Amino acid sequence: MSARYRRRTAVAAVTGVAALLAVAGLSATATAAPAAKAVTVPRGLTISDGTRHVLVGGRSIDFGTVVRDLAWNPSGSKAAFVDGHGNLVVSDPDGSHRVTVAANPGNQTWSHPTWQVAAADRTNGIPAKNNIIFAAKIHGSTVLERVKATSDHGKPVKISLYSDDPEAGALPQTNNAWPNVGGSHGTAVYDNTRTGEVYIRDDYLRQQGGALAKGSEPALSPDEEEIVFVRSVGGHDHLFVDDLSAGTNAVKDVTPHATTDYTEPAWSPNGKTIAFRTPGGTYTVTRTGHGFGSPVKVSAHKGLPAYRG
């Protein structure tokens, strides 16, 4: 059963299916201000800043080419990124053995690749997936595209975006950005820059999806049960977590005392920690027995955080 369906079932039991698309509750979890003292960079955390150097476990690695929007496959054995020519590239963890999975045809801006990896389900006749989904800005319009991760100069195709709620109407086909895949079923989340909402895309038994909450820059947890995203509050960007297994009022501000912008969140492989970017460096916030704790600075390095396996 997909996370989307579990969420729908939970909400329907109380208020009906329509409540799913209306989830946008605000509730604060008491946390202290961010710690000022840097600590050891968490294992597996990487930071890319648009140069050829990537911070991996606190050590700078020269990938031999410009690295933008670095993302790792689930095992951490391969990296995907956009190079200085705007091409989609896959490499080993140290930047070696680079393969141009798809060459930018020109006059396009590609960004934020994410791996869609899922094992075959013979019972339901579902083939294995090993794709890279990314955002492509073409003639001013941004769409989500996909290419096989094993391609060599493959041709990306636009992915389908079908709604799971007939009453909600068709989903936006353009202005979609910041895709992120999590879990083992190929489920993805993304944002729409026109509507200002976060969407989910279920791609298992059949492709379906819909809007979840106001926000941007979403990331889906490894167990597909939660989404972290960015939402502006009082002039600063906060991090919110939406529990898909819960009913209404499932969206919580996990950084209610933010005094600067918290952006570009990423889940750790065990789903307990969220890494994110601030103007002053990279921070993490970790789950406790009562929600999430206080943000902790783990690196003065500023860039896009991602976890390797």
Side-chain angles (χ1 to χ4, degrees), residues 250-274:
V251 178
K252 298 184 183 298
D253 186 348
V254 299
T255 57
H257 302 295
T259 57
T260 188
D261 291 330
Y262 293 170
T263 60
E264 303 178 358
W267 291 95
S268 64
N270 63 9
K272 294 182 179 180
T273 299
I274 300 169

CSV table of all heavy atoms in Angstrom, one decimal, residues 250-274:
chain,number,residue,atom,x,y,z
A,250,ALA,N,-1.4,17.2,10.3
A,250,ALA,CA,-0.2,16.4,10.3
A,250,ALA,C,1.0,17.2,10.0
A,250,ALA,O,2.1,16.6,10.0
A,250,ALA,CB,-0.4,15.2,9.3
A,251,VAL,N,0.9,18.5,9.6
A,251,VAL,CA,2.1,19.3,9.2
A,251,VAL,C,2.6,20.0,10.5
A,251,VAL,O,1.8,20.8,11.1
A,251,VAL,CB,1.7,20.3,8.1
A,251,VAL,CG1,2.9,21.1,7.8
A,251,VAL,CG2,1.2,19.5,6.9
A,252,LYS,N,3.8,19.9,10.8
A,252,LYS,CA,4.4,20.5,12.0
A,252,LYS,C,5.7,21.3,11.6
A,252,LYS,O,6.5,20.8,10.8
A,252,LYS,CB,4.7,19.4,13.0
A,252,LYS,CG,3.5,18.7,13.5
A,252,LYS,CD,3.9,17.7,14.6
A,252,LYS,CE,2.7,16.9,15.1
A,252,LYS,NZ,1.6,17.8,15.6
A,253,ASP,N,5.8,22.4,12.2
A,253,ASP,CA,7.0,23.2,12.1
A,253,ASP,C,8.1,22.7,13.0
A,253,ASP,O,7.9,22.7,14.2
A,253,ASP,CB,6.7,24.7,12.4
A,253,ASP,CG,7.9,25.6,12.2
A,253,ASP,OD1,9.0,25.1,12.0
A,253,ASP,OD2,7.7,26.9,12.3
A,254,VAL,N,9.1,22.1,12.5
A,254,VAL,CA,10.2,21.5,13.3
A,254,VAL,C,11.3,22.4,13.6
A,254,VAL,O,12.3,22.1,14.3
A,254,VAL,CB,10.7,20.2,12.7
A,254,VAL,CG1,9.6,19.1,12.5
A,254,VAL,CG2,11.4,20.4,11.3
A,255,THR,N,11.2,23.7,13.1
A,255,THR,CA,12.2,24.7,13.4
A,255,THR,C,11.5,26.0,13.7
A,255,THR,O,11.7,27.0,13.1
A,255,THR,CB,13.2,24.9,12.2
A,255,THR,OG1,12.4,25.3,11.1
A,255,THR,CG2,14.0,23.6,11.9
A,256,PRO,N,10.7,26.0,14.7
A,256,PRO,CA,9.8,27.2,15.0
A,256,PRO,C,10.6,28.4,15.4
A,256,PRO,O,10.0,29.5,15.4
A,256,PRO,CB,8.9,26.7,16.1
A,256,PRO,CG,9.7,25.6,16.8
A,256,PRO,CD,10.4,24.9,15.7
A,257,HIS,N,11.8,28.2,15.9
A,257,HIS,CA,12.6,29.4,16.4
A,257,HIS,C,13.6,29.9,15.4
A,257,HIS,O,14.6,30.5,15.8
A,257,HIS,CB,13.2,29.1,17.7
A,257,HIS,CG,12.2,28.7,18.8
A,257,HIS,ND1,11.3,29.5,19.3
A,257,HIS,CD2,12.0,27.5,19.4
A,257,HIS,CE1,10.5,28.9,20.2
A,257,HIS,NE2,11.0,27.7,20.3
A,258,ALA,N,13.5,29.5,14.1
A,258,ALA,CA,14.5,29.9,13.1
A,258,ALA,C,14.6,31.4,13.0
A,258,ALA,O,13.6,32.1,13.0
A,258,ALA,CB,14.0,29.4,11.8
A,259,THR,N,15.8,31.9,13.0
A,259,THR,CA,16.0,33.4,12.9
A,259,THR,C,16.8,33.7,11.6
A,259,THR,O,17.2,34.8,11.4
A,259,THR,CB,16.9,33.9,14.1
A,259,THR,OG1,18.1,33.1,14.2
A,259,THR,CG2,16.1,33.7,15.4
A,260,THR,N,16.9,32.7,10.8
A,260,THR,CA,17.5,32.8,9.4
A,260,THR,C,16.8,31.8,8.5
A,260,THR,O,15.9,31.1,9.0
A,260,THR,CB,19.0,32.6,9.5
A,260,THR,OG1,19.6,32.9,8.2
A,260,THR,CG2,19.4,31.2,9.8
A,261,ASP,N,17.2,31.7,7.3
A,261,ASP,CA,16.5,30.8,6.3
A,261,ASP,C,17.1,29.4,6.4
A,261,ASP,O,18.3,29.2,6.3
A,261,ASP,CB,16.7,31.4,4.9
A,261,ASP,CG,15.9,32.6,4.7
A,261,ASP,OD1,14.8,32.8,5.4
A,261,ASP,OD2,16.3,33.5,3.8
A,262,TYR,N,16.2,28.5,6.6
A,262,TYR,CA,16.6,27.0,6.6
A,262,TYR,C,16.0,26.5,5.3
A,262,TYR,O,14.8,26.5,5.0
A,262,TYR,CB,15.9,26.3,7.8
A,262,TYR,CG,16.5,26.7,9.1
A,262,TYR,CD1,15.8,26.2,10.3
A,262,TYR,CD2,17.6,27.5,9.3
A,262,TYR,CE1,16.3,26.5,11.5
A,262,TYR,CE2,18.1,27.8,10.5
A,262,TYR,CZ,17.4,27.3,11.7
A,262,TYR,OH,17.9,27.6,12.9
A,263,THR,N,16.9,26.0,4.4
A,263,THR,CA,16.5,25.5,3.1
A,263,THR,C,17.2,24.2,2.7
A,263,THR,O,18.1,23.7,3.4
A,263,THR,CB,16.9,26.6,2.0
A,263,THR,OG1,18.3,26.8,2.0
A,263,THR,CG2,16.2,27.9,2.3
A,264,GLU,N,16.7,23.7,1.6
A,264,GLU,CA,17.3,22.5,0.9
A,264,GLU,C,17.5,21.3,1.9
A,264,GLU,O,18.6,20.7,2.0
A,264,GLU,CB,18.7,22.9,0.3
A,264,GLU,CG,18.5,24.0,-0.7
A,264,GLU,CD,19.9,24.4,-1.3
A,264,GLU,OE1,20.9,23.9,-1.0
A,264,GLU,OE2,19.8,25.3,-2.2
A,265,PRO,N,16.4,20.8,2.5
A,265,PRO,CA,16.5,19.7,3.4
A,265,PRO,C,16.7,18.4,2.8
A,265,PRO,O,16.3,18.2,1.6
A,265,PRO,CB,15.1,19.8,4.1
A,265,PRO,CG,14.2,20.3,3.1
A,265,PRO,CD,15.0,21.4,2.4
A,266,ALA,N,17.4,17.5,3.5
A,266,ALA,CA,17.7,16.1,3.0
A,266,ALA,C,17.6,15.2,4.2
A,266,ALA,O,18.1,15.4,5.3
A,266,ALA,CB,19.0,16.1,2.4
A,267,TRP,N,16.9,14.0,4.0
A,267,TRP,CA,16.8,13.0,5.1
A,267,TRP,C,18.1,12.1,5.1
A,267,TRP,O,18.6,11.8,4.1
A,267,TRP,CB,15.6,12.1,4.8
A,267,TRP,CG,14.3,12.7,4.9
A,267,TRP,CD1,13.5,13.3,3.9
A,267,TRP,CD2,13.5,12.8,6.1
A,267,TRP,NE1,12.3,13.7,4.5
A,267,TRP,CE2,12.3,13.4,5.8
A,267,TRP,CE3,13.7,12.4,7.5
A,267,TRP,CZ2,11.3,13.7,6.7
A,267,TRP,CZ3,12.7,12.7,8.4
A,267,TRP,CH2,11.5,13.3,8.1
A,268,SER,N,18.4,11.7,6.3
A,268,SER,CA,19.4,10.7,6.5
A,268,SER,C,18.9,9.3,6.1
A,268,SER,O,17.6,9.2,6.1
A,268,SER,CB,19.9,10.7,7.9
A,268,SER,OG,18.9,10.3,8.8
A,269,PRO,N,19.7,8.4,5.8
A,269,PRO,CA,19.2,7.0,5.4
A,269,PRO,C,18.3,6.4,6.4
A,269,PRO,O,17.4,5.6,6.0
A,269,PRO,CB,20.5,6.2,5.1
A,269,PRO,CG,21.5,7.3,4.8
A,269,PRO,CD,21.2,8.5,5.6
A,270,ASN,N,18.5,6.6,7.7
A,270,ASN,CA,17.7,6.0,8.7
A,270,ASN,C,16.4,6.8,9.0
A,270,ASN,O,15.6,6.4,9.9
A,270,ASN,CB,18.5,5.7,10.0
A,270,ASN,CG,19.0,7.0,10.6
A,270,ASN,OD1,18.6,8.1,10.3
A,270,ASN,ND2,19.9,6.9,11.6
A,271,GLY,N,16.2,7.9,8.4
A,271,GLY,CA,15.0,8.7,8.6
A,271,GLY,C,15.0,9.5,9.9
A,271,GLY,O,13.9,10.0,10.3
A,272,LYS,N,16.1,9.5,10.6
A,272,LYS,CA,16.0,10.2,11.9
A,272,LYS,C,16.6,11.6,11.9
A,272,LYS,O,16.3,12.4,12.9
A,272,LYS,CB,16.9,9.3,12.9
A,272,LYS,CG,16.3,8.0,13.2
A,272,LYS,CD,17.2,7.2,14.2
A,272,LYS,CE,16.6,5.8,14.6
A,272,LYS,NZ,17.4,5.1,15.6
A,273,THR,N,17.3,12.0,10.9
A,273,THR,CA,18.0,13.3,10.9
A,273,THR,C,17.7,14.0,9.6
A,273,THR,O,17.6,13.3,8.5
A,273,THR,CB,19.5,13.1,11.1
A,273,THR,OG1,19.7,12.5,12.4
A,273,THR,CG2,20.2,14.5,11.0
A,274,ILE,N,17.5,15.3,9.6
A,274,ILE,CA,17.3,16.1,8.4
A,274,ILE,C,18.5,17.1,8.4
A,274,ILE,O,18.8,17.8,9.4
A,274,ILE,CB,16.0,16.9,8.5
A,274,ILE,CG1,14.8,15.9,8.6
A,274,ILE,CG2,15.9,17.8,7.3
A,274,ILE,CD1,13.5,16.6,8.9
